[in-house]
Amino acid sequence: MERVQFQQEQMLPELKDLVQKSLFSQSEVKQIVKKRTQFETALVRRIPKKSDFLRYAAYEMNLEQLRRKRVERLKLEKTAPSISDYALVRRQFQIFERALKKFKSDVGLWIQYIQVAKREGARSLVGRITARRVQALQLHPRTPALYIIAASHELNHMSPSAARALLQRGLRLNADSVDMWREYVRMELGFVEGMKRRWTVLGIHEEGHSVTEAETTTAEKDTAPLTPEEIAAERGGDEGERARQAIMDGAIVKSVILSAAKALPSIKLFSSLEALIRSYPSQERLRTALLDHLYSVLKDTLQGDPRAVKMLATRKLRDLTSQENSDSVTDEGEGFVNALQVANESFSVAVSAGNANASAMAEAYVEFIEDWCKLPTLDPNLRVYLVASLRKLARRPNAPPLLQAAHIRLTSPSSEAL
């Protein structure tokens, strides 16, 4: 019980300050002491539970939220910070520190601690936990979420080089993590946009314009420290122009995509990267170039994979989906008809090839046909076209039986239920 008494003594100055500021009454302070004593007693028992720490931290968070609301409501005059202004937040951090001493292997606890520190704006503490002292990363080197949080912290505080180093380190140990590769690509996309904004400030978007020392000093007030790529791109002459053009064309992002494909050749990775590139707010020219590169790498990496063939074949359909409302994708527009035709023909060629994955390829094609045919908004003529393509493949010698079965399902009277 000596530990409990010690904690009670430590809280006296902050509670006295809260009363003096009229933020809490004497009776409320007594309730706070009583509640904290209960929590502290639970923590000093022989085998404390993680839930005891979390309940204690949640109580302190609610208490701090109440304090802030009362400060705002009472409109107290701004004075020099006193102990009650930071004590409740500090206590939250202390509770997590004590919890992590007991549960060092609990990844969720580390992540919660980092999130609380980020929410409270404790930059140095987040950096100490994740990047600088690498406490969490040393204990959990194979937990991608920690690297992602640490890199996000560095990016938010204008340190792209540190963020890149963290993600690269994490990928050396977690090369099979789709999430880490996606975040790495996202970071490099952000780097391209950041460079574009910087060059706009410096006025070096014009060909042949080099950066003076004075211009660089002015721009660095609003941007991150220079990386080697930035230094090369901001040189004058042809060398600088080529470096700038390569960055704007997504050379760095393309390199990361290629590395990801070599380390993790899976359709899940390619689907994740495609969704990221399509949704990221970048220039249309850059987005198109990156998608072209992604599909080229996909074609070379997963040759003959039915899911890869489907992804490649239906690219133009997804292009339409990202440009229009999903409700209007199946209209009779020429763009949609051409996209559906390209997808169907590409799939048909792959099915006709009769490779080792013939059965799986036929199954993917059947799924493609049935998914479109069951759409009530699909034009009847297009439905006839798709069913006819399926029939043509089903009648080929040695065609997989499931093609014929699918054709029968789609042409039977009950197919109206599809």
Side-chain angles (χ1 to χ4, degrees):
M1 295 302 291
E2 291 181 1
R3 293 182 183 179
V4 176
Q5 186 176 355
F6 173 76
Q7 292 296 332
Q8 289 175 333
E9 293 173 354
Q10 293 296 308
M11 69 179 74
L12 290 178
E14 68 186 72
L15 296 177
K16 186 182 294 184
D17 193 33
L18 289 170
V19 173
Q20 289 176 350
K21 289 184 175 181
S22 301
L23 294 174
F24 289 90
S25 65
Q26 288 286 356
S27 60
E28 287 176 324
V29 166
K30 289 180 180 179
Q31 287 297 319
I32 292 173
V33 172
K34 180 179 179 181
K35 197 71 176 175
R36 283 179 173 176
T37 301
Q38 292 174 352
F39 285 124
E40 290 292 344
T41 303
L43 298 187
V44 298
R45 61 186 173 189
R46 181 169 297 180
I47 306 178
K49 299 178 182 178
K50 186 179 79 169
S51 58
D52 294 331
F53 290 97
L54 293 179
R55 278 196 294 267
Y56 194 0
Y59 173 76
E60 294 297 333
M61 292 177 196
N62 292 332
L63 202 59
E64 171 63 10
Q65 188 176 15
L66 178 60
R67 186 196 69 82
R68 291 177 181 178
K69 287 183 177 179
R70 290 186 176 181
V71 168
E72 184 178 354
R73 188 184 65 198
L74 295 174
K75 298 180 180 179
L76 300 177
E77 294 183 6
K78 291 185 178 180
T79 58
S82 60
I83 188 170
S84 65
D85 294 326
Y86 56 83
L88 298 180
V89 173
R90 183 181 61 185
R91 186 174 293 274
Q92 295 171 34
F93 298 157
Q94 290 173 346
I95 293 170
F96 275 104
E97 290 285 356
R98 294 164 67 185
L100 287 170
K101 288 180 180 179
K102 295 285 186 181
F103 306 98
K104 291 182 180 179
S105 61
D106 195 308
V107 177
L109 199 57
W110 279 102
I111 293 175
Q112 282 181 279
Y113 186 19
I114 293 169
Q115 290 173 340
V116 170
K118 288 179 67 176
R119 187 179 67 236
E120 296 297 338
R123 177 185 176 184
S124 60
L125 178 59
V126 176
R128 192 161 61 246
I129 300 170
T130 56
R132 293 179 178 85
R133 293 188 183 175
V134 290
Q135 298 174 15
L137 298 182
Q138 286 178 344
L139 289 169
H140 306 286
R142 296 191 178 278
T143 303
L146 291 176
Y147 291 95
I148 293 172
I149 291 174
S152 174
H153 167 74
E154 295 297 343
L155 282 175
N156 291 339
H157 293 88
M158 308 295 284
S159 300
S161 296
R164 184 181 287 118
L166 276 166
L167 289 175
Q168 289 173 345
R169 175 188 170 192
L171 285 168
R172 284 196 292 270
L173 298 172
N174 303 278
D176 58 347
S177 171
V178 172
D179 291 340
M180 284 209 66
W181 283 113
R182 183 184 63 246
E183 293 306 314
Y184 192 13
V185 171
R186 188 196 304 277
M187 186 204 69
E188 295 298 355
L189 284 169
F191 173 75
V192 173
E193 294 302 314
M195 291 290 284
K196 180 184 174 184
R197 290 192 298 270
R198 175 182 170 83
W199 293 338
T200 299
V201 171
L202 293 172
I204 60 172
H205 53 281
E206 298 176 0
E207 186 173 353
H209 181 93
S210 60
V211 186
T212 66
E213 184 177 350
E215 288 174 324
T216 301
T217 302
T218 300
E220 284 179 349
K221 293 178 181 178
D222 301 315
T223 55
L226 293 179
T227 63
E229 293 87 350
E230 289 174 291
I231 294 173
E234 293 183 0
R235 291 172 181 158
D238 294 339
E239 182 182 354
E241 179 63 26
R242 285 194 298 270
R244 289 193 294 275
Q245 192 60 49
I247 291 175
M248 288 297 100
D249 290 341
I252 299 175
V253 183
K254 291 176 182 177
S255 176
V256 175
I257 291 173
L258 187 59
S259 298
K262 290 179 179 178
L264 185 58
S266 72
I267 195 65
K268 184 179 178 181
L269 171 71
F270 285 100
S271 297
S272 180
L273 295 183
E274 183 197 37
L276 170 63
I277 295 171
R278 287 187 180 279
S279 62
Y280 197 87
S282 56
Q283 287 185 325
E284 185 63 30
R285 180 178 64 85
L286 175 61
R287 182 183 297 111
T288 301
L290 292 178
L291 286 173
D292 287 341
H293 178 72
L294 180 71
Y295 294 130
S296 175
V297 174
L298 171 62
K299 186 177 181 180
D300 294 338
T301 304
L302 298 178
Q303 294 182 359
D305 188 305
R307 295 166 299 175
V309 170
K310 182 178 181 180
M311 187 173 174
L312 291 167
T314 56
R315 172 186 177 178
K316 292 187 179 296
L317 289 170
R318 289 193 301 282
D319 288 342
L320 289 175
T321 304
S322 63
Q323 295 170 7
E324 306 174 13
N325 295 326
S326 57
D327 295 338
S328 62
V329 170
T330 56
D331 61 15
E332 298 181 20
E334 182 179 354
F336 167 71
V337 174
N338 290 338
L340 186 61
Q341 182 180 2
V342 168
N344 181 62
E345 290 178 355
S346 298
F347 236 139
S348 298
V349 170
V351 174
S352 301
N355 55 26
N357 292 330
S359 179
M361 193 72 72
E363 184 178 356
Y365 180 62
V366 167
E367 181 183 354
F368 165 76
I369 295 293
E370 291 185 338
D371 284 346
W372 281 103
C373 286
K374 72 173 61 171
L375 289 177
T377 55
L378 185 69
D379 184 274
N381 293 321
L382 291 177
R383 188 180 191 279
V384 171
Y385 160 71
L386 292 175
V387 173
S389 298
L390 177 63
R391 181 180 68 244
K392 181 179 178 181
L393 288 174
R395 290 181 176 179
R396 291 175 58 255
N398 300 321
L402 60 90
L403 292 175
Q404 185 64 39
H407 179 257
I408 293 174
R409 286 198 304 272
L410 290 172
T411 54
S412 64
S414 61
S415 66
E416 295 296 326
L418 287 175

